[in-house]
Amino acid sequence: MRRGVWRDGAILLAVAVVLLLLPKAYSNQMLLFQLMVYLALSQGVNILYGFTGYLPFGYVGFFGIGAYGASLAMLDLHFAPLLGILAGAVVALLLGLLLSPLLRLSGAYFAIASLAASQAVYLVIANPSLQNITYGPYGIQLPNQFNPIASYYTMVVVLLLAVGVVLYIRRSRFGMALQAMRDDPVSAAMSGVPVVRERIAAWLISAALAGVVGGVFAWQTSVFYPDAVFTLSISIFAIVFALFGGVGTLLGPMFGTVVLFGMYNMIGISDPQYFQLIYGLLIVALVIFLPDGVASLLRKKGIHVL
Amino acid sequence: MSSDVMLQVAAVEKSFGGFQALRGVSLDVAQGQALGLVGPNGSGKTTLINVISGIYRPSAGHVRFLGRQIGGLTSDRVSHLGINRTFQVPKPFGSLTVRQNVDVALSHSRRSRRKAEDILAFLDLAAMQDREASSLNTAQQKLLDLGRALATDPRMLLVDELGAGLSPADLDIVAAKLNALRQEGITMLVVEHLLGFLAKVTDDVIVMNAGQEIFYGKLEAAAEDPKVVEVFLGG
Ligand SMILES: Nc1ncnc2c1ncn2[C@@H]1O[C@H](COP(=O)(O)OP(=O)(O)O)[C@@H](O)[C@H]1O
Ligand SMILES: [Mg+2]
């Protein structure tokens, strides 16, 4: 146990060092920021899917509502950026709470219903008749808050937080209960695990994380349309990155994000719609043929992925 | 009804769609008793255990445990009150180790004064505690199921066909383990097809058919009861 805490600390430190040195080695800070966004979102998918088996195609809804919650808090309530981001997280958490009955649905129904819910949120926000409240289809402008350096380092902190949460879940009683529930919810309940409560807890953690990331994204970008923060491809990317590397581990989703996001940026930028399709099909293939990703191939060879 | 009744099932019904799997089942299990439950396939034995253990909500009737109404409570709460069970088809946490399977239940129990080491040793699973549960054979998984149940430190254990598929030698070993648990004071309701096994671990038996109780008494007397004979031997 003790040794595990040291090891987790070392991992966090290593991730921090890499993230802080990256901008010195690679000058496209915009791209690095996006990479961090997906590193964090894929950990959010990891928490939900990896530890509970629920595949959230509507995950982008929390990201988008977090971006809007943060932006509106800054614009209308004149919150400072960090406080605004916190407000965005709270809004995402509330949306998660509102949608928590979806967890009663099983498998594919949950995936579809969560997708529908995220689209409903998008339609409300982009609705021209609500322009007075949401700024409607023309989106958000935060000219006074623009601060690429501060928002970059805030994202570093958020990503470290996401990594810390996953490390904690992996070693905690909570995480073991989630894994047990994923294997067999009936047995887990019989073992005394409050299955519904624990599942909702994982859902809310994952929702709040996406909300925070959305808020930092809004701050970094400062100008965005509703489509930019509610596009389905954000869900698809976060899911495929997590699945490809291997959910239930820490490094799997990170590996998946670096490889597949890297690939997307090398060849996909010119025709992004193909990538949405290809990655969508890849999700199907992974769920059917390799549900635990690359990490499970290594595990078969006796290499245990953290 | 005597005062030492631990579990009371009163006129419990359970329907699935239009099909009535339990049609008004009533039974009492006394503190310290080991009651057998037999009946042909599909007579509702597992459904009854599922209702008692909170997996199904009864369609009608009452379940009381130590005087407290538990019908309709979720399984985690039933488990906290001191009822646990094994599954006819064992349900381990396949991706967790044997030890972790027991730890999940131990760490969520509000009652437990048991230790994982003791439970695994008692069930002869100590040597495989670091193996993934999915790699165990069925007999071992059944024992692990029992271990997970024991980890919650139950006052009452519902055992669903633990003997099925075991070799005669293993059957004797499992019967001895159930008897040892009973010596510790655990009350039991034991569903079993194998009457020899049942004779070793229970006092009285209930015979069910088509969702109803048709006999209560000694196992030997059941064999001479005309209704029971008809169900098991007749058309
Ligand atoms: N979840 C369910 N949905 C529909 N029918 C069920 C369900 N569970 C049990 N049954 C039906 O109820 C009857 C009793 O089943 P069960 O309790 O498993 O019998 P036993 O354990 O005595 O063999 C069977 O006809 C079975 O098909
Ligand atoms: Mg049965």
Side-chain angles (χ1 to χ4, degrees):
Chain A
M1 194 75 188
R2 187 71 175 266
R3 219 180 71 209
V5 173
W6 281 106
R7 193 198 60 194
D8 286 1
I11 294 169
L12 269 176
L13 194 67
V15 175
V17 168
V18 170
L19 291 174
L20 293 174
L21 290 182
L22 261 181
K24 300 203 170 19
Y26 185 75
S27 62
N28 190 341
Q29 196 144 336
M30 184 72 187
L31 199 68
L32 287 179
F33 183 84
Q34 283 180 14
L35 178 70
M36 286 197 292
V37 164
Y38 280 114
L39 283 171
L41 289 181
S42 65
Q43 292 301 346
V45 168
N46 190 19
I47 292 168
L48 193 67
Y49 183 67
F51 293 99
T52 72
Y54 280 82
L55 198 54
F57 272 100
Y59 195 49
V60 65
F62 298 122
F63 176 82
I65 200 96
Y68 266 88
S71 301
L72 297 183
M74 288 185 237
L75 282 174
D76 300 343
L77 306 174
H78 308 291
F79 278 24
L82 291 182
L83 214 56
I85 289 163
L86 204 64
V90 171
V91 176
L93 199 71
L94 291 176
L95 179 66
L97 217 49
L98 188 73
L99 296 181
S100 59
L102 294 187
L103 292 168
R104 292 198 201 131
L105 301 173
S106 61
Y109 296 104
F110 171 83
I112 293 166
S114 80
L115 175 61
S118 75
Q119 291 309 295
V121 174
Y122 164 67
L123 290 174
V124 168
I125 284 180
N127 190 332
S129 55
L130 292 177
Q131 193 153 351
N132 290 338
I133 304 167
T134 65
Y135 298 84
Y138 304 109
I140 295 281
Q141 296 187 26
L142 302 165
N144 301 328
Q145 308 292 1
F146 185 63
N147 189 340
I149 308 281
S151 53
Y152 182 91
Y153 287 107
T154 304
M155 192 59 224
V156 171
V157 173
V158 168
L159 180 52
L160 289 174
L161 198 76
V163 170
V165 168
V166 171
L167 286 173
Y168 165 75
I169 289 180
R170 277 173 57 86
R171 65 166 51 261
S172 67
R173 183 181 89 132
F174 173 56
M176 200 166 20
L178 291 180
Q179 268 170 285
M181 284 158 50
R182 185 186 166 182
D183 284 352
D184 195 314
V186 172
S187 258
M190 217 58 245
S191 306
V193 176
V195 169
V196 174
R197 203 187 69 194
E198 303 290 72
R199 200 175 272 154
I200 289 178
W203 169 246
L204 293 181
I205 291 172
S206 166
L209 174 59
V212 175
V213 176
V216 184
F217 176 87
W219 185 24
Q220 160 90 16
T221 320
S222 287
V223 179
F224 60 91
Y225 294 109
D227 332 25
V229 294
F230 282 105
T231 170
L232 177 60
S233 64
I234 294 177
S235 284
I236 290 187
F237 278 28
I239 290 171
V240 80
F241 297 166
L243 277 175
F244 180 76
V247 291
T249 67
L250 172 77
L251 297 180
M254 297 189 119
F255 172 79
T257 305
V258 170
V259 170
L260 294 186
F261 187 68
M263 206 142 88
Y264 167 74
N265 278 289
M266 276 191 285
I267 49 184
I269 286 287
S270 54
D271 299 293
Q273 66 278 25
Y274 293 124
F275 261 77
Q276 196 173 335
L277 179 70
I278 293 168
Y279 282 174
L281 292 174
L282 187 54
I283 291 177
V284 176
L286 284 167
V287 166
I288 296 174
F289 298 112
L290 198 62
D292 289 316
V294 172
S296 64
L297 296 179
L298 295 175
R299 206 171 299 135
K300 277 200 196 106
K301 292 204 160 38
I303 303 167
H304 196 76
V305 177
L306 214 62
Chain B
M1 184 182 93
S2 61
S3 62
D4 65 348
V5 170
M6 183 169 239
L7 179 79
Q8 184 182 42
V9 174
V12 161
E13 298 177 16
K14 177 67 196 172
S15 312
F16 299 105
F19 177 74
Q20 243 197 324
L22 297 177
R23 311 161 167 256
V25 175
S26 300
L27 59 86
D28 288 353
V29 186
Q31 178 118 34
Q33 190 182 5
L35 179 64
L37 180 55
V38 291
N41 264 328
S43 55
K45 307 178 297 291
T46 297
T47 302
L48 180 62
I49 286 189
N50 284 340
V51 167
I52 298 169
S53 59
I55 290 171
Y56 296 146
R57 178 181 281 278
S59 312
H62 297 284
V63 183
R64 286 192 197 86
F65 181 64
L66 297 171
R68 181 173 170 173
Q69 179 75 39
I70 62 162
L73 290 188
T74 50
S75 296
D76 54 320
R77 303 203 35 210
V78 171
S79 151
H80 292 321
L81 291 174
I83 297 182
N84 225 289
R85 64 170 294 174
T86 66
F87 294 91
Q88 185 171 348
V89 178
K91 291 164 79 63
F93 308 122
S95 71
L96 302 185
T97 65
V98 167
R99 168 70 188 244
Q100 286 173 326
N101 267 259
V102 172
D103 281 343
V104 168
L106 268 181
S107 66
H108 285 84
S109 169
R110 302 233 174 110
R111 315 170 26 82
S112 213
R113 43 189 175 81
R114 292 179 188 268
K115 290 202 172 65
E117 292 81 10
D118 299 344
I119 293 169
L120 293 173
F122 173 66
L123 296 172
D124 310 318
L125 292 172
M128 46 196 90
Q129 66 165 339
D130 293 323
R131 273 173 57 186
E132 247 184 39
S134 59
S135 75
L136 301 186
N137 66 33
T138 306
Q140 292 162 340
Q141 289 192 356
K142 285 191 162 195
L143 287 175
L144 180 55
D145 221 18
L146 181 58
R148 184 202 47 67
L150 286 179
T152 66
D153 205 0
R155 287 191 255 240
M156 175 160 198
L157 203 50
L158 314 170
V159 182
D160 197 356
E161 306 212 16
L162 195 57
L166 297 189
S167 70
D170 283 343
L171 272 177
D172 284 344
I173 294 172
V174 171
K177 292 194 191 309
L178 290 184
N179 280 326
L181 292 173
R182 201 173 154 211
Q183 292 297 314
E184 287 182 28
I186 299 180
T187 305
M188 291 187 198
L189 180 63
V190 183
V191 171
E192 193 53 73
H193 272 303
L194 305 163
L195 299 184
F197 179 87
L198 210 53
K200 288 201 183 91
V201 292
T202 61
D203 320 317
D204 292 341
V205 297
I206 284 185
V207 181
M208 277 179 72
N209 184 44
Q212 282 174 315
E213 175 191 325
I214 58 168
F215 175 87
Y216 180 101
K218 296 274 168 238
L219 187 57
E220 308 83 62
E224 279 148 31
D225 184 274
K227 273 199 270 177
V228 175
V229 171
E230 191 192 321
V231 162
F232 278 96
L233 299 176

